[in-house]
Amino acid sequence: MFKKSLLLLIVLTLISCHATKSPIVTTKKSAGKNSTYSSGNKKNTKDRNEVITSTSKTIVTSEVVSNYVAQFKDIAMSNMKNYGIPASIILAQGILESGAGRGDLAVSANNHFGIKCHSDWTGDSVKHDDDSSQECFRKYNKVAESYRDHALFLKGKVRYASLFELDKDDYEAWARGLRKAGYATDPKYPDKLISYIERYNLAQYDAQVLGNKYVSRESRNNTVTDRRLKNEEYYEVQKGDTLYSISKKYNVLIDDLKERNKLSDNTLFVGQKLKVN
């Protein structure tokens, strides 16, 4: 009986030892600051999935990104007023660096800009795999603190000083300036920021802060197209028209008509619009 009791005690002790919790280790799924994204057809904005890779790999929809913008645009505009960083740049970096708020660091540490501890950081931190194993990243109590720290980080570093000499509504210059100053190693980093700004019309928040009228890139392109079309004369083909009759009407050579309209033969159809000048 004594031997059985002793054996039972040993077994229970071993089970207890194996039940001790291991320390939590956060590992990234892909490369760090060399952030990448991929997307489908840009016309299907509402249904497209995107893969955002910064300190972790995150798959989001355009709706998730739009909701992220709606949630943090006011903070971004406030930071623009207080620190002089374009709201469009702040939001684009937040989307890219945090996976639109779905990335590991954003979830576990409210860190939306992938800012590491550095020697001057005295706040809370978390360990996460990035360029090296289990690096130190800043941890915040609230997302707003991460946004504020991002602004202070840029304002407080000498290498970013040249950014604040740029126009506040020139998001392209800011995007390229961040890359040049060393914020990210990915050569496509500026293009990614600009892509988010233009696809989600983030420059409208810069315009609100500056008191400017905002015109989306799409509207600007449409205006240019409309202006170009007004300066060009088109003829709508009617029943009985031929290239010969149209060429006589507008005093233009048949070959010129075919070249301007990329026609491979003389075939026309009713309702077809031909560029005639």
Side-chain angles (χ1 to χ4, degrees), residues 9 17 30 43 46 67 83 127 135 138 142 147 149 152 161 189 203 236 244 254 257 259-260 265 275 277:
L9 179 61
C17 290
S30 188
K43 293 182 179 180
K46 294 183 179 180
N67 290 340
Y83 303 104
K127 298 293 185 182
E135 291 189 79
R138 301 182 183 190
K142 299 178 181 179
Y147 269 72
D149 194 41
L152 294 175
Y189 191 79
E236 184 172 335
Y244 177 77
I254 292 177
L257 275 176
E259 182 179 351
R260 290 173 190 173
D265 54 38
K275 188 188 299 184
N277 71 356

Side-chain angles (χ1 to χ4, degrees), residues 124-251:
D124 292 337
S125 63
V126 294
K127 298 293 185 182
H128 180 77
D129 284 358
D130 194 50
D131 298 322
S132 301
S133 175
Q134 293 296 281
E135 291 189 79
C136 182
F137 284 85
R138 301 182 183 190
K139 181 179 180 180
Y140 309 95
N141 293 322
K142 299 178 181 179
V143 176
E145 294 176 8
S146 175
Y147 269 72
R148 181 175 181 273
D149 194 41
H150 166 260
L152 294 175
F153 181 80
L154 293 182
K155 288 286 287 186
K157 300 293 183 182
V158 175
R159 65 178 178 173
Y160 299 119
S162 61
L163 292 173
F164 296 90
E165 298 175 3
L166 301 171
D167 291 337
K168 300 298 181 289
D169 59 353
D170 192 349
Y171 59 81
E172 292 187 9
W174 274 80
R176 296 189 182 95
L178 280 165
R179 164 76 175 90
K180 186 177 180 180
Y183 193 94
T185 56
D186 182 4
K188 294 183 179 179
Y189 191 79
D191 294 333
K192 293 169 186 176
L193 295 183
I194 292 169
S195 175
Y196 280 117
I197 291 170
E198 294 181 347
R199 279 188 289 145
Y200 293 94
N201 291 318
L202 303 184
Q204 65 179 296
Y205 306 115
D206 300 338
Q208 286 186 40
V209 173
L210 297 172
N212 297 335
K213 181 180 178 180
Y214 173 69
V215 180
S216 69
R217 186 181 182 88
E218 182 178 355
S219 296
R220 290 199 302 271
N221 289 342
N222 289 339
T223 299
V224 172
T225 301
D226 291 343
R227 188 180 297 119
R228 177 173 54 79
L229 290 175
K230 287 178 182 179
N231 293 331
E232 297 174 344
E233 190 171 351
Y234 285 80
Y235 174 76
E236 184 172 335
V237 177
Q238 306 297 316
K239 185 176 180 179
D241 281 337
T242 64
L243 279 178
Y244 177 77
S245 65
I246 296 172
S247 70
K248 289 300 182 183
K249 182 175 182 178
Y250 288 95
N251 193 28

Side-chain angles (χ1 to χ4, degrees), residues 98-115:
S98 76
R102 301 293 183 91
D104 291 344
L105 282 176
V107 173
S108 65
N110 287 320
N111 188 331
H112 281 229
F113 297 91
I115 300 180

